Amino acid sequence: MQDYSPSLRLWTGVLFAMTPVMLLTGYLLSMLQGVGRFATFNLLRMTQTVVYFLGIVGLGVSDTLTPERVAMVFNSTHVVAALVVGWTCRAHVFPLAYDGALLRELLSFGRRNALSVWLNQLNARLPQAYLATFASPAILGLFAVANTCSQAASVLGTGVQRLVVSETANAADPRRAILRHAGLAAAFLVPLSLGLVVIMPWLVGSFFGEAYMPTVTAAQLLSLSVALLVVQRTLANGLRGCGRPELVALPEFLGIVATGGCLAALVPWLGVTGAGIAGLAGTCTLLTATLVTTLVKDLTPKPKMVRT
């Protein structure tokens, strides 16, 4: 960070400080979804995204697009979103009140869920963190473009990932419910990712130019990885819906080991393509381990966590 300007370092710190606000917004949106207010949930979520997008476009049109101003738009969007979503929950859904018994149950669930969530975040950011630390800035930039081009399946799969939690918590046969939702995600997203693989050369060339064509293979691999990752997250959220979040931690750890090992072995040899292979290999390991866990572990619903 010593190579960056004081202003950029300041706004980087502000972004970190905004993490609780971003989490609060996500939790409040999940509360709306949890009580069946799907139209309100989708409207607020889409509005937040559109406002941020328009802010970035405005900076670009006015030729004031800098990292500091992007951070300002990002932070402002999340603050306003948190206020609007909080007011919506309080005024139109239910009053926000203290419930000691519920809080104890949530803390118990959170304690068991924390490790798997932390490992999930590490797993998702490991390739970029590795490239930022050990690879050249050029390879990091190419990977960022490849990663951006591969995210369509992730956006479209969000609904299935969220829905499986409540569906599994209320299912008489949670294992069957988890596998049904994972199968639905796979049936929809895997063909979509294969379509992205086919059009990826055109996509990269049209939006980023010939200079970024070396990212095509990595983007194709990451498109497949993202689709499989949505299936894995559907399985993992199903396990959380059963009140068994601790079962997700071991698969996440195995995914980190596979991704890290492949990054160390392949990036020096293959560059950004090696990073794409590592991402796909790690996701396949993670998905396989999560699927095996779902099939063999006891998923008897926990009555208290079903209510929660």
Side-chain angles (χ1 to χ4, degrees):
M1 288 295 291
Q2 67 268 18
D3 297 328
Y4 296 98
S5 69
S7 176
L8 184 56
R9 291 201 297 270
L10 171 64
W11 280 105
T12 301
V14 173
L15 283 175
F16 279 108
M18 284 292 296
T19 300
V21 176
M22 291 185 283
L23 291 174
L24 176 62
T25 305
Y27 293 151
L28 291 173
L29 285 170
S30 296
M31 290 163 65
L32 288 172
Q33 190 180 41
V35 296
R37 297 293 294 266
F38 297 111
T40 306
F41 165 82
N42 286 322
L43 176 62
L44 291 173
R45 190 162 171 267
M46 184 60 68
T47 301
Q48 178 185 355
T49 303
V50 169
V51 169
Y52 175 61
F53 173 76
L54 291 177
I56 299 301
V57 171
L59 292 177
V61 171
S62 62
D63 199 25
T64 57
L65 187 63
T66 63
E68 293 89 341
R69 293 186 181 272
V70 170
M72 292 171 64
V73 171
F74 182 86
N75 291 335
S76 301
T77 302
H78 277 83
V79 168
V80 173
L83 294 173
V84 172
V85 174
W87 178 84
T88 302
C89 287
R90 186 173 181 83
H92 298 288
V93 182
F94 45 78
L96 302 179
Y98 176 76
D99 184 334
L102 179 60
L103 178 60
R104 286 191 293 273
E105 291 180 22
L106 289 173
L107 288 174
S108 173
F109 182 87
R111 174 180 55 80
R112 292 180 290 119
N113 190 44
L115 178 60
S116 64
V117 170
W118 182 79
L119 290 173
N120 173 267
Q121 295 299 310
L122 177 60
N123 209 355
R125 289 159 176 76
L126 182 58
Q128 195 158 339
Y130 177 90
L131 294 177
T133 305
F134 297 107
S136 67
I139 291 179
L140 177 61
L142 291 173
F143 181 82
V145 170
N147 192 49
T148 300
C149 292
S150 68
Q151 293 303 309
S154 177
V155 174
L156 295 174
T158 301
V160 178
Q161 295 176 51
R162 291 177 177 269
L163 183 61
V164 69
V165 178
S166 57
E167 291 288 328
T168 304
N170 294 286
D173 186 348
R175 195 188 322 274
R176 182 176 180 181
I178 295 172
L179 295 176
R180 179 167 59 85
H181 281 81
L184 176 64
F188 176 64
L189 294 173
V190 171
L192 173 65
S193 69
L194 292 175
L196 285 174
V197 167
V198 173
I199 68 170
M200 193 60 71
W202 171 84
L203 194 64
V204 173
S206 298
F207 286 91
F208 296 97
E210 291 296 322
Y212 290 93
M213 290 304 289
T215 68
V216 168
T217 301
Q220 291 170 324
L221 293 168
L222 291 174
S223 294
L224 295 173
S225 176
V226 166
L228 297 178
L229 188 59
V230 171
V231 178
Q232 184 275 332
R233 287 175 176 169
T234 303
L235 293 170
N237 281 347
L239 295 174
R240 292 185 175 98
C242 296
R244 302 297 306 277
E246 68 278 3
L247 296 180
V248 185
L250 180 58
E252 292 284 358
F253 176 75
L254 294 176
I256 290 172
V257 172
T259 302
C262 290
L263 284 169
L266 297 177
V267 169
W269 177 32
L270 298 175
V272 68
T273 301
I277 296 173
L280 180 59
T283 299
C284 289
T285 302
L286 174 58
L287 173 60
T288 301
T290 308
L291 179 60
V292 170
T293 299
T294 304
L295 292 173
V296 304
K297 292 292 185 178
D298 177 23
L299 302 183
T300 305
K302 303 293 186 290
K304 286 186 177 182
M305 292 317 301
V306 169
R307 183 175 73 84
T308 304

